[in-house]
Amino acid sequence: MTRTTAILVVLALTGAAAVASSGCFVHRRSEDLVTCATDFECFGLGGSCDHGYCVTSSSGCPSPCTDCDLLDLTCRVECNTSHACGDVKCPAGFDCTFKCNNASCGDIDCTLARGCTIDCSGAAACHNINCGGGACDISCSGPGACPSIDCARSCRCDVSCNTSGAACPSMSCPMSDGGTPCTHSGTPGTNCDSDPQGCDRCPNS
């Protein structure tokens, strides 16, 4: 083997190893190794905080987004039986859309979100849902699809539950400015509804 041939073989093997190893990781640390304590510190890099460092995902979106727009701060999370997500949290300041079917989502945390649209379809599609202070639009269908919904602090909350007793057995709705429940016709125990007067307090609504 000539010296030139040997060099080419080494370069080829090195390149193959690099390609093989690159397929093994979903996240990588950003090249400048930016340290962080929260996901918000990494948004400018298009990533999230993982073990004290900003990381970027293969999609360029913060976790758990499967699709996103980093200019408009929107995030879409698709979870299904072939891609179960477990507990998920909307990144701080984002508008998130969660799509979950049969037992594909655990707890959904929107406490730091600008707003969340949540679709839980099928048996036990989601677990506990916490809206925080942002707007929430929640749709639930199927036995135990949304066992617990907390949007008591939400500036605007709308919940649609098919067969509500089975799909949404526990629900906390906001109170209107007048002190009545923000529910359909103001009736306790029914789905949350932002239509009654004083039940939509979100900015720019």
Side-chain angles (χ1 to χ4, degrees), residues 152-174:
R153 296 188 297 113
S154 174
C155 62
R156 181 179 67 243
C157 183
D158 291 282
V159 179
S160 173
C161 280
N162 295 340
T163 60
S164 59
C168 310
S170 176
M171 191 184 312
S172 298
C173 301

PDB file of all heavy atoms in Angstrom, residues 152-174:
ATOM      1  N   ALA A 152     -58.015  27.431  36.405  1.00  0.00           N
ATOM      2  CA  ALA A 152     -58.619  28.413  37.308  1.00  0.00           C
ATOM      3  C   ALA A 152     -57.941  29.773  37.216  1.00  0.00           C
ATOM      4  O   ALA A 152     -58.567  30.810  37.439  1.00  0.00           O
ATOM      5  CB  ALA A 152     -58.570  27.891  38.741  1.00  0.00           C
ATOM      6  N   ARG A 153     -56.635  29.801  36.870  1.00  0.00           N
ATOM      7  CA  ARG A 153     -55.902  31.068  36.782  1.00  0.00           C
ATOM      8  C   ARG A 153     -55.815  31.590  35.352  1.00  0.00           C
ATOM      9  O   ARG A 153     -55.244  32.644  35.095  1.00  0.00           O
ATOM     10  CB  ARG A 153     -54.488  30.900  37.354  1.00  0.00           C
ATOM     11  CG  ARG A 153     -54.459  30.583  38.829  1.00  0.00           C
ATOM     12  CD  ARG A 153     -53.038  30.608  39.388  1.00  0.00           C
ATOM     13  NE  ARG A 153     -52.178  29.594  38.801  1.00  0.00           N
ATOM     14  CZ  ARG A 153     -51.139  29.854  38.010  1.00  0.00           C
ATOM     15  NH1 ARG A 153     -50.834  31.102  37.690  1.00  0.00           N
ATOM     16  NH2 ARG A 153     -50.404  28.872  37.534  1.00  0.00           N
ATOM     17  N   SER A 154     -56.370  30.854  34.402  1.00  0.00           N
ATOM     18  CA  SER A 154     -56.265  31.219  32.986  1.00  0.00           C
ATOM     19  C   SER A 154     -57.008  32.522  32.685  1.00  0.00           C
ATOM     20  O   SER A 154     -58.098  32.767  33.209  1.00  0.00           O
ATOM     21  CB  SER A 154     -56.829  30.088  32.131  1.00  0.00           C
ATOM     22  OG  SER A 154     -56.875  30.445  30.766  1.00  0.00           O
ATOM     23  N   CYS A 155     -56.410  33.351  31.817  1.00  0.00           N
ATOM     24  CA  CYS A 155     -57.085  34.590  31.425  1.00  0.00           C
ATOM     25  C   CYS A 155     -58.251  34.316  30.476  1.00  0.00           C
ATOM     26  O   CYS A 155     -59.151  35.137  30.330  1.00  0.00           O
ATOM     27  CB  CYS A 155     -56.088  35.560  30.783  1.00  0.00           C
ATOM     28  SG  CYS A 155     -55.300  34.961  29.266  1.00  0.00           S
ATOM     29  N   ARG A 156     -58.241  33.160  29.841  1.00  0.00           N
ATOM     30  CA  ARG A 156     -59.351  32.741  28.977  1.00  0.00           C
ATOM     31  C   ARG A 156     -59.285  31.224  28.826  1.00  0.00           C
ATOM     32  O   ARG A 156     -58.279  30.697  28.359  1.00  0.00           O
ATOM     33  CB  ARG A 156     -59.267  33.404  27.597  1.00  0.00           C
ATOM     34  CG  ARG A 156     -60.423  33.015  26.678  1.00  0.00           C
ATOM     35  CD  ARG A 156     -60.346  33.707  25.320  1.00  0.00           C
ATOM     36  NE  ARG A 156     -59.227  33.266  24.521  1.00  0.00           N
ATOM     37  CZ  ARG A 156     -58.228  34.042  24.131  1.00  0.00           C
ATOM     38  NH1 ARG A 156     -58.203  35.325  24.487  1.00  0.00           N
ATOM     39  NH2 ARG A 156     -57.250  33.575  23.395  1.00  0.00           N
ATOM     40  N   CYS A 157     -60.354  30.527  29.199  1.00  0.00           N
ATOM     41  CA  CYS A 157     -60.325  29.064  29.137  1.00  0.00           C
ATOM     42  C   CYS A 157     -61.611  28.538  28.522  1.00  0.00           C
ATOM     43  O   CYS A 157     -62.709  28.874  28.976  1.00  0.00           O
ATOM     44  CB  CYS A 157     -60.134  28.472  30.541  1.00  0.00           C
ATOM     45  SG  CYS A 157     -59.998  26.661  30.551  1.00  0.00           S
ATOM     46  N   ASP A 158     -61.450  27.728  27.496  1.00  0.00           N
ATOM     47  CA  ASP A 158     -62.577  27.043  26.862  1.00  0.00           C
ATOM     48  C   ASP A 158     -62.285  25.554  26.836  1.00  0.00           C
ATOM     49  O   ASP A 158     -61.222  25.134  26.346  1.00  0.00           O
ATOM     50  CB  ASP A 158     -62.798  27.563  25.438  1.00  0.00           C
ATOM     51  CG  ASP A 158     -63.316  28.989  25.419  1.00  0.00           C
ATOM     52  OD1 ASP A 158     -64.530  29.175  25.657  1.00  0.00           O
ATOM     53  OD2 ASP A 158     -62.510  29.915  25.196  1.00  0.00           O
ATOM     54  N   VAL A 159     -63.213  24.762  27.358  1.00  0.00           N
ATOM     55  CA  VAL A 159     -63.042  23.309  27.406  1.00  0.00           C
ATOM     56  C   VAL A 159     -64.246  22.658  26.747  1.00  0.00           C
ATOM     57  O   VAL A 159     -65.394  22.990  27.066  1.00  0.00           O
ATOM     58  CB  VAL A 159     -62.904  22.794  28.857  1.00  0.00           C
ATOM     59  CG1 VAL A 159     -62.750  21.274  28.868  1.00  0.00           C
ATOM     60  CG2 VAL A 159     -61.714  23.452  29.552  1.00  0.00           C
ATOM     61  N   SER A 160     -63.973  21.751  25.830  1.00  0.00           N
ATOM     62  CA  SER A 160     -65.024  20.971  25.195  1.00  0.00           C
ATOM     63  C   SER A 160     -64.785  19.505  25.505  1.00  0.00           C
ATOM     64  O   SER A 160     -63.747  18.948  25.123  1.00  0.00           O
ATOM     65  CB  SER A 160     -65.020  21.201  23.683  1.00  0.00           C
ATOM     66  OG  SER A 160     -65.927  20.328  23.039  1.00  0.00           O
ATOM     67  N   CYS A 161     -65.722  18.901  26.233  1.00  0.00           N
ATOM     68  CA  CYS A 161     -65.581  17.486  26.601  1.00  0.00           C
ATOM     69  C   CYS A 161     -66.764  16.702  26.063  1.00  0.00           C
ATOM     70  O   CYS A 161     -67.911  16.966  26.435  1.00  0.00           O
ATOM     71  CB  CYS A 161     -65.531  17.331  28.118  1.00  0.00           C
ATOM     72  SG  CYS A 161     -63.931  17.694  28.828  1.00  0.00           S
ATOM     73  N   ASN A 162     -66.490  15.740  25.204  1.00  0.00           N
ATOM     74  CA  ASN A 162     -67.523  14.815  24.776  1.00  0.00           C
ATOM     75  C   ASN A 162     -67.744  13.818  25.908  1.00  0.00           C
ATOM     76  O   ASN A 162     -66.783  13.285  26.470  1.00  0.00           O
ATOM     77  CB  ASN A 162     -67.101  14.076  23.500  1.00  0.00           C
ATOM     78  CG  ASN A 162     -66.955  15.009  22.327  1.00  0.00           C
ATOM     79  OD1 ASN A 162     -67.490  16.106  22.327  1.00  0.00           O
ATOM     80  ND2 ASN A 162     -66.219  14.584  21.302  1.00  0.00           N
ATOM     81  N   THR A 163     -69.014  13.569  26.230  1.00  0.00           N
ATOM     82  CA  THR A 163     -69.352  12.740  27.397  1.00  0.00           C
ATOM     83  C   THR A 163     -68.523  13.202  28.587  1.00  0.00           C
ATOM     84  O   THR A 163     -67.693  12.477  29.127  1.00  0.00           O
ATOM     85  CB  THR A 163     -69.119  11.242  27.112  1.00  0.00           C
ATOM     86  OG1 THR A 163     -67.733  11.022  26.785  1.00  0.00           O
ATOM     87  CG2 THR A 163     -69.962  10.759  25.963  1.00  0.00           C
ATOM     88  N   SER A 164     -68.734  14.482  28.999  1.00  0.00           N
ATOM     89  CA  SER A 164     -67.851  15.179  29.930  1.00  0.00           C
ATOM     90  C   SER A 164     -67.599  14.423  31.217  1.00  0.00           C
ATOM     91  O   SER A 164     -66.504  14.487  31.775  1.00  0.00           O
ATOM     92  CB  SER A 164     -68.401  16.571  30.242  1.00  0.00           C
ATOM     93  OG  SER A 164     -69.695  16.470  30.805  1.00  0.00           O
ATOM     94  N   GLY A 165     -68.587  13.714  31.736  1.00  0.00           N
ATOM     95  CA  GLY A 165     -68.368  12.996  32.983  1.00  0.00           C
ATOM     96  C   GLY A 165     -67.277  11.958  32.868  1.00  0.00           C
ATOM     97  O   GLY A 165     -66.486  11.766  33.801  1.00  0.00           O
ATOM     98  N   ALA A 166     -67.205  11.274  31.725  1.00  0.00           N
ATOM     99  CA  ALA A 166     -66.196  10.231  31.541  1.00  0.00           C
ATOM    100  C   ALA A 166     -64.877  10.799  31.048  1.00  0.00           C
ATOM    101  O   ALA A 166     -63.812  10.323  31.431  1.00  0.00           O
ATOM    102  CB  ALA A 166     -66.704   9.178  30.558  1.00  0.00           C
ATOM    103  N   ALA A 167     -64.938  11.817  30.202  1.00  0.00           N
ATOM    104  CA  ALA A 167     -63.712  12.361  29.621  1.00  0.00           C
ATOM    105  C   ALA A 167     -63.011  13.339  30.556  1.00  0.00           C
ATOM    106  O   ALA A 167     -61.783  13.402  30.592  1.00  0.00           O
ATOM    107  CB  ALA A 167     -64.014  13.045  28.286  1.00  0.00           C
ATOM    108  N   CYS A 168     -63.795  14.115  31.314  1.00  0.00           N
ATOM    109  CA  CYS A 168     -63.239  15.189  32.159  1.00  0.00           C
ATOM    110  C   CYS A 168     -63.883  15.150  33.548  1.00  0.00           C
ATOM    111  O   CYS A 168     -64.717  16.009  33.871  1.00  0.00           O
ATOM    112  CB  CYS A 168     -63.480  16.549  31.524  1.00  0.00           C
ATOM    113  SG  CYS A 168     -63.014  16.689  29.790  1.00  0.00           S
ATOM    114  N   PRO A 169     -63.508  14.205  34.366  1.00  0.00           N
ATOM    115  CA  PRO A 169     -64.174  14.086  35.678  1.00  0.00           C
ATOM    116  C   PRO A 169     -63.820  15.192  36.661  1.00  0.00           C
ATOM    117  O   PRO A 169     -64.559  15.437  37.602  1.00  0.00           O
ATOM    118  CB  PRO A 169     -63.691  12.727  36.193  1.00  0.00           C
ATOM    119  CG  PRO A 169     -62.398  12.493  35.489  1.00  0.00           C
ATOM    120  CD  PRO A 169     -62.546  13.119  34.140  1.00  0.00           C
ATOM    121  N   SER A 170     -62.688  15.887  36.470  1.00  0.00           N
ATOM    122  CA  SER A 170     -62.283  16.934  37.406  1.00  0.00           C
ATOM    123  C   SER A 170     -61.845  18.168  36.623  1.00  0.00           C
ATOM    124  O   SER A 170     -60.919  18.101  35.810  1.00  0.00           O
ATOM    125  CB  SER A 170     -61.138  16.441  38.293  1.00  0.00           C
ATOM    126  OG  SER A 170     -60.666  17.455  39.140  1.00  0.00           O
ATOM    127  N   MET A 171     -62.525  19.309  36.888  1.00  0.00           N
ATOM    128  CA  MET A 171     -62.250  20.514  36.116  1.00  0.00           C
ATOM    129  C   MET A 171     -62.358  21.752  37.007  1.00  0.00           C
ATOM    130  O   MET A 171     -63.332  21.910  37.737  1.00  0.00           O
ATOM    131  CB  MET A 171     -63.251  20.624  34.962  1.00  0.00           C
ATOM    132  CG  MET A 171     -62.927  21.688  33.939  1.00  0.00           C
ATOM    133  SD  MET A 171     -64.246  21.824  32.678  1.00  0.00           S
ATOM    134  CE  MET A 171     -64.510  20.112  32.228  1.00  0.00           C
ATOM    135  N   SER A 172     -61.337  22.624  36.940  1.00  0.00           N
ATOM    136  CA  SER A 172     -61.374  23.900  37.658  1.00  0.00           C
ATOM    137  C   SER A 172     -61.369  25.016  36.632  1.00  0.00           C
ATOM    138  O   SER A 172     -60.416  25.149  35.858  1.00  0.00           O
ATOM    139  CB  SER A 172     -60.153  24.042  38.576  1.00  0.00           C
ATOM    140  OG  SER A 172     -60.143  23.027  39.561  1.00  0.00           O
ATOM    141  N   CYS A 173     -62.441  25.828  36.627  1.00  0.00           N
ATOM    142  CA  CYS A 173     -62.588  26.909  35.663  1.00  0.00           C
ATOM    143  C   CYS A 173     -62.308  28.264  36.330  1.00  0.00           C
ATOM    144  O   CYS A 173     -62.401  28.388  37.553  1.00  0.00           O
ATOM    145  CB  CYS A 173     -64.003  26.922  35.092  1.00  0.00           C
ATOM    146  SG  CYS A 173     -64.488  25.384  34.248  1.00  0.00           S
ATOM    147  N   PRO A 174     -61.980  29.288  35.530  1.00  0.00           N
ATOM    148  CA  PRO A 174     -61.797  30.626  36.101  1.00  0.00           C
ATOM    149  C   PRO A 174     -63.109  31.183  36.633  1.00  0.00           C
ATOM    150  O   PRO A 174     -64.196  30.686  36.325  1.00  0.00           O
ATOM    151  CB  PRO A 174     -61.292  31.459  34.915  1.00  0.00           C
ATOM    152  CG  PRO A 174     -60.921  30.473  33.858  1.00  0.00           C
ATOM    153  CD  PRO A 174     -61.761  29.269  34.089  1.00  0.00           C
TER     154      PRO A 174
END
